[in-house]
Amino acid sequence: MEVAVMDRPLVEDIRDRLDEFTATERKAAHALLANYPMLGLGTVAQFAQAANVSSPSILRFVARLGFPSFSDFQDRLRKELESQLNSPLARSSQLADSDVGDPLVSALVDNVRETFAHLPKGELEGLTKLLADDRKNLYLIGGRFTDSLARYMAAHLRIVRSNVHHVSGQQANWQDLLVSIGPKDAVLVFDIRRYQTELINFADAAAERGATLALITDSWVSPIARTASYVLPARVAVNTAWDSSLALMAIAEVLIARVTRFNPERSRARMQVLEDLRSNRTTRPDIEGQDYDL
């Protein structure tokens, strides 16, 4: 029996091994990934019902992951959930005596490397096509620490395609946007632990209105994944009290580059218009210094 990998989140191991599973095991895996880790913390019968498979199929799936019993599987999920819910204060206490010099740099680089090593390629390609489709209004939104990434990405995508909107301002005003969001629109959400209820509510409402939902999240995966068509998880944990956004930024950078190259003629045409506008005005601080190399 292959032992489950213990030095990274179990959710990454499941995604990496989807092609190894039987059809029934894949149904169990997809159900768990859509509600991770909570589905695995209930009973075997509840898990089986949610996945539309039998209870013995769930036990075989757990064994395939390398756990001797369902209780061992649940112990692993509880430990990951505890890590997911850890506050910066708790992590700072745990790391009070650790070295955050060069090892931090190494951890940051490892996060980016491991993120892209385990990033679902189909998800990346599908999300690129979605973001490049300017027939859809595209809304980008993030949380307390990730909204800057949503704003950064929106600023770049607005140059190479039309109908890009950064959802900002007071949370009460977010609801006003939902009136205009429908089946012809797309919403990209950045959400990492500790997941924000208002972001989840906004994403759920957009999905209910028919919008195509995409999520950039952490290894433990935001609950928004249950309604998202595309999910890109990034490694955020490092040996400090704070999670790192470096891998999240790397995903954003890669998507910006891929969308730019997806329709190079359109990108060049829009960039040329911006260059012409800049040359006809004294100052254009919003585009000064942009690198338009395709």
Side-chain angles (χ1 to χ4, degrees), residues 81-129:
L81 183 60
E82 180 180 357
S83 175
Q84 173 184 316
L85 296 177
N86 260 353
S87 68
L89 178 60
R91 292 197 293 274
S92 67
S93 298
Q94 296 165 2
L95 299 165
D97 298 324
S98 65
D99 182 1
V100 294
D102 290 344
L104 174 59
V105 175
S106 178
L108 291 170
V109 173
D110 286 344
N111 273 3
V112 175
R113 182 185 298 111
E114 289 300 311
T115 290
F116 284 91
H118 303 289
L119 209 60
K121 299 301 185 290
E123 299 282 284
L124 185 61
E125 293 173 2
L127 182 51
T128 298
K129 292 179 181 179

Side-chain angles (χ1 to χ4, degrees), residues 193-235:
R193 66 178 185 179
R194 308 155 74 181
Y195 312 115
Q196 292 185 220
T197 301
E198 58 272 19
L199 274 181
I200 297 169
N201 292 339
F202 180 86
D204 286 346
E208 288 174 3
R209 295 185 61 80
T212 303
L213 196 63
L215 171 68
I216 298 177
T217 185
D218 54 25
S219 300
W220 298 275
V221 185
S222 161
I224 294 171
R226 62 175 176 253
T227 51
S229 298
Y230 304 99
V231 179
L232 298 183
R235 288 204 172 192

Side-chain angles (χ1 to χ4, degrees), residues 64-77:
R64 169 85 74 158
L65 293 176
F67 296 97
S69 69
F70 193 72
S71 62
D72 291 320
F73 167 70
Q74 289 187 316
D75 285 344
R76 172 68 176 274
L77 293 181

Side-chain angles (χ1 to χ4, degrees), residues 5-213:
V5 179
M6 298 300 291
D7 61 349
R8 60 175 178 153
L10 178 61
V11 67
E12 290 185 4
D13 189 41
I14 295 172
R15 287 199 198 94
D16 286 351
R17 299 174 58 188
L18 278 175
D19 292 340
E20 301 176 15
F21 299 149
T22 65
T24 302
E25 289 168 347
R26 277 197 297 273
K27 291 178 71 174
H30 284 305
L32 179 60
L33 291 174
N35 188 15
Y36 187 89
M38 302 311 295
L39 181 60
L41 294 175
T43 65
V44 174
Q46 291 169 333
F47 193 165
Q49 182 178 13
N52 196 27
V53 299
S54 67
S55 293
S57 295
I58 296 299
L59 296 178
R60 285 193 292 271
F61 169 66
V62 168
R64 169 85 74 158
L65 293 176
F67 296 97
S69 69
F70 193 72
S71 62
D72 291 320
F73 167 70
Q74 289 187 316
D75 285 344
R76 172 68 176 274
L77 293 181
R78 290 190 188 95
K79 290 177 181 177
E80 290 195 2
L81 183 60
E82 180 180 357
S83 175
Q84 173 184 316
L85 296 177
N86 260 353
S87 68
L89 178 60
R91 292 197 293 274
S92 67
S93 298
Q94 296 165 2
L95 299 165
D97 298 324
S98 65
D99 182 1
V100 294
D102 290 344
L104 174 59
V105 175
S106 178
L108 291 170
V109 173
D110 286 344
N111 273 3
V112 175
R113 182 185 298 111
E114 289 300 311
T115 290
F116 284 91
H118 303 289
L119 209 60
K121 299 301 185 290
E123 299 282 284
L124 185 61
E125 293 173 2
L127 182 51
T128 298
K129 292 179 181 179
L130 177 69
L131 298 180
D133 186 357
D134 60 3
R135 295 170 299 179
K136 294 180 179 293
N137 284 300
L138 173 61
Y139 298 87
L140 297 96
I141 186 171
R144 180 183 178 192
F145 293 110
T146 55
D147 185 59
S148 58
L149 296 172
R151 182 170 61 251
Y152 175 85
M153 212 173 158
H156 282 76
L157 293 180
R158 198 176 292 125
I159 293 173
V160 298
R161 56 151 292 178
S162 57
N163 303 317
V164 177
H165 312 276
H166 172 228
V167 182
S168 61
Q170 296 182 3
Q171 294 166 7
N173 295 333
W174 296 359
Q175 307 305 313
D176 299 342
L177 288 174
L178 291 170
V179 176
S180 302
I181 293 177
K184 295 183 178 180
D185 302 319
V187 177
L188 174 60
V189 184
F190 287 83
D191 189 32
I192 62 174
R193 66 178 185 179
R194 308 155 74 181
Y195 312 115
Q196 292 185 220
T197 301
E198 58 272 19
L199 274 181
I200 297 169
N201 292 339
F202 180 86
D204 286 346
E208 288 174 3
R209 295 185 61 80
T212 303
L213 196 63

Side-chain angles (χ1 to χ4, degrees), residues 234-255:
R235 288 204 172 192
V236 300
V238 289
N239 52 333
T240 76
W242 305 101
D243 284 335
S244 166
S245 295
L246 186 61
L248 299 167
M249 172 62 84
I251 290 177
E253 294 275 11
V254 167
L255 286 169

